[in-house]
Amino acid sequence: MHLTGTGVALVTPFTPTGDIDFVALDRLVDFVIAEPGQGVEYIVVHGSTGEAATTTQPEKAAVLSAVVRRVAGRVPVVVGVGGNDTRKILAQLADTDFTGISAVLSVSPAYNKPSQRGIVAHYTAVADASPKPVILYNVPGRTGSNVSAATTLELARHANIIGMKEASGNLEQCLAILKDQPDGFQLVSGDDLMTPALVASGAAGVISVIANALPVHFSAMTRAALHGDFAEASRRLFSYLDLNPLLYEEANPVGVKAALATLGVCDAFARLPLLPASDGLTARIKAALPQ
């Protein structure tokens, strides 16, 4: 599927009135792709960073169509289709136009806190229904439950499940998946700063937040790690240590939108209950951006 290297969890730009800013969206797509071979390897639309929790289904369809049109085949596009009601996800899959889409990213159910057996049943239903390969997404900090390594490996045997975005922050769990993952399945880092360490152990790359603002710089780090140049990967990684925590201080994607506004790519507006970054945080983010 060529979904290796850096994927960017694309933000959704908004206007001051809270509408989708499609002009800024086009600009953002061009910014993260950059020159061929310089920017990100693929784009993920409607992930957590895209504020999928507060965009409507018509908005999601319009954003996805706009991104696919602007990408114009330059890189693969992955679409987030997830939630905590399995039947609603199946209906959304049936209603989505998958033209130009390479895969589906589906977060594990939040709030319900299903058992591991429930997670297997949920993802099996999603993968059976999806017309595109499915990437699992484990982010316990948002969902309130963890997808264990054993559950991931059980789901990895499904013919239509091709990977796991792991954002648990649990290195041992990630290593357990990497140790026993079957051919055709890949683990992807969901934590930007863990990318080189996970790549060193066999991960296929990252789906990144920071790559919205630093697509060329961050993608170069991931490529260096994939090519075994960990001295270069570490040099670049260390340059993000001051910036990275600031991106989450007032919730994601508030911080990275402030960075993008500083760079002139899109405005910092978010959807309630999120607010734009405070002036103090914005100033610190601006100061921490690598030159």
Side-chain angles (χ1 to χ4, degrees):
M1 297 301 299
H2 308 293
L3 300 178
T4 57
T6 300
V8 60
L10 201 71
V11 307
T12 302
F14 295 116
T15 68
T17 57
D19 297 317
I20 307 293
D21 187 341
F22 288 99
V23 173
L25 182 61
D26 282 351
R27 189 162 55 243
L28 176 62
V29 168
D30 292 342
F31 180 72
V32 298
I33 294 175
E35 296 298 320
Q38 298 294 311
V40 302
E41 274 78 24
Y42 61 101
I43 289 174
V44 180
V45 184
H46 300 321
S48 303
T49 307
E51 295 176 75
T54 51
T55 51
T56 66
Q57 287 306 123
E59 286 176 327
K60 285 181 171 66
V63 168
L64 182 60
S65 176
V67 170
V68 169
R69 182 175 62 253
R70 190 69 178 188
V71 168
R74 288 178 286 173
V75 296
V77 177
V78 176
V79 61
V81 183
N84 65 350
D85 183 333
T86 308
R87 291 190 298 175
K88 284 184 179 178
I89 297 172
L90 301 187
Q92 187 176 342
L93 287 168
D95 289 342
T96 298
D97 180 359
F98 284 97
T99 303
I101 303 301
S102 294
V104 168
L105 178 71
S106 193
V107 67
S108 65
Y111 190 80
N112 310 56
K113 300 179 73 171
S115 67
Q116 297 301 301
R117 289 176 56 247
I119 290 171
V120 170
H122 167 82
Y123 272 129
T124 298
V126 170
D128 285 347
S130 177
K132 297 292 180 178
V134 174
I135 302 168
L136 315 176
Y137 178 17
N138 183 36
V139 56
R142 285 187 180 270
T143 65
S145 66
N146 179 56
V147 182
S148 71
T151 294
T152 298
L153 292 168
E154 180 178 351
L155 287 164
R157 297 198 295 266
H158 193 292
N160 204 34
I161 294 177
I162 61 169
M164 164 62 92
K165 177 185 175 184
E166 246 292 351
S168 65
N170 184 333
L171 181 59
E172 185 175 354
Q173 178 166 287
C174 293
L175 294 176
I177 296 168
L178 289 165
K179 173 178 176 288
D180 292 322
Q181 65 184 7
D183 290 342
F185 184 87
Q186 58 190 31
L187 184 132
V188 178
S189 177
D191 292 293
D192 286 348
L193 297 188
M194 288 181 66
T195 302
L198 290 177
V199 167
S201 299
V206 60
I207 295 176
S208 168
V209 173
I210 203 170
N212 280 280
L214 300 171
V216 173
H217 198 281
F218 191 84
S219 297
M221 183 205 74
T222 307
R223 290 190 195 103
L226 287 167
H227 293 150
D229 187 352
F230 290 102
E232 174 65 10
S234 295
R235 183 186 71 81
R236 291 182 178 273
L237 175 69
F238 295 154
S239 72
Y240 312 133
L241 292 183
D242 292 335
L243 174 63
N244 192 70
L246 302 179
L247 301 184
Y248 304 93
E249 188 171 301
E250 294 179 5
N252 181 43
V254 169
V256 76
K257 280 190 165 183
L260 286 164
T262 295
L263 296 167
V265 179
C266 70
D267 287 328
F269 302 111
R271 281 253 172 106
L272 285 172
L274 300 181
L275 291 171
S278 63
D279 291 345
L281 177 60
T282 299
R284 286 184 287 139
I285 287 172
K286 182 177 182 179
L289 281 168
Q291 300 303 311

